[in-house]
Amino acid sequence: VRVSAKAVYSKYNLQPASCVNFGAIIKGTKKTQVIMLENKGMLHFKFRIHQAPKDAQALQRKRYEKPCPTLSPLSELFLQGHLSLGVFTVSPCSGSIAPWGQQKITVECFTGQEGPFEETIYFDILCR
């Protein structure tokens, strides 16, 4: 009897990889940018976008608690299909991507007031 297996893991790519910079925006206007999330692996995966905690160490602990978590019930915020973070709106904030597929993530910035604005988000890539 011949037995074989091939171990694989989720692979993904984000473009842009680090910073989405809207630059200067006229007060009271909206500007949109796109983040592309690509599935570069052989496994179907789910993703979920969260606001990063202010404590970076808490983020690291959360990331390594469960190497392959499952999706918990979605809050009303996620059921609306977007995540609101101050002047920024991210959508969709959750979904699934087939192998070699991709998903456009839209980030909108609507400035109703003057000043600099910054938020940090992170992506959970979840096993099927």
Side-chain angles (χ1 to χ4, degrees):
V1 175
R2 182 179 214 172
V3 178
S4 66
K6 181 177 182 180
V8 295
Y9 56 93
S10 294
K11 299 177 193 176
Y12 63 91
N13 186 42
L14 274 174
Q15 288 297 327
S18 59
C19 184
V20 176
N21 188 344
F22 285 90
I25 300 174
I26 297 172
K27 179 180 170 183
T29 63
K30 184 189 321 183
K31 194 170 182 182
T32 302
Q33 296 219 19
V34 173
I35 299 171
M36 185 66 69
L37 176 59
E38 298 176 282
N39 184 344
K40 297 286 199 176
M42 297 172 56
L43 298 174
H44 184 240
F45 68 68
K46 295 179 182 181
F47 71 92
R48 195 163 172 188
I49 302 171
H50 301 272
Q51 181 177 17
K54 302 299 178 198
D55 179 6
Q57 288 181 343
L59 177 59
Q60 289 297 328
R61 283 192 301 275
K62 179 176 174 33
R63 185 177 292 158
Y64 294 109
E65 281 175 2
K66 296 179 184 175
C68 188
T70 58
L71 281 175
S72 58
L74 301 175
S75 67
E76 274 186 44
L77 189 63
F78 286 104
L79 290 174
Q80 294 172 3
H82 67 274
L83 176 61
S84 295
L85 305 166
V87 299
F88 302 102
T89 303
V90 181
S91 66
C93 57
S94 64
S96 61
I97 304 176
W100 303 105
Q102 57 187 7
Q103 174 69 53
K104 285 184 183 180
I105 311 293
T106 302
V107 182
E108 291 182 340
C109 180
F110 178 74
T111 57
Q113 56 206 12
E114 291 182 25
F117 304 97
E118 184 176 309
E119 293 288 341
T120 302
I121 60 174
Y122 72 95
F123 287 73
D124 269 339
I125 305 298
L126 309 163
C127 297
R128 188 174 150 114

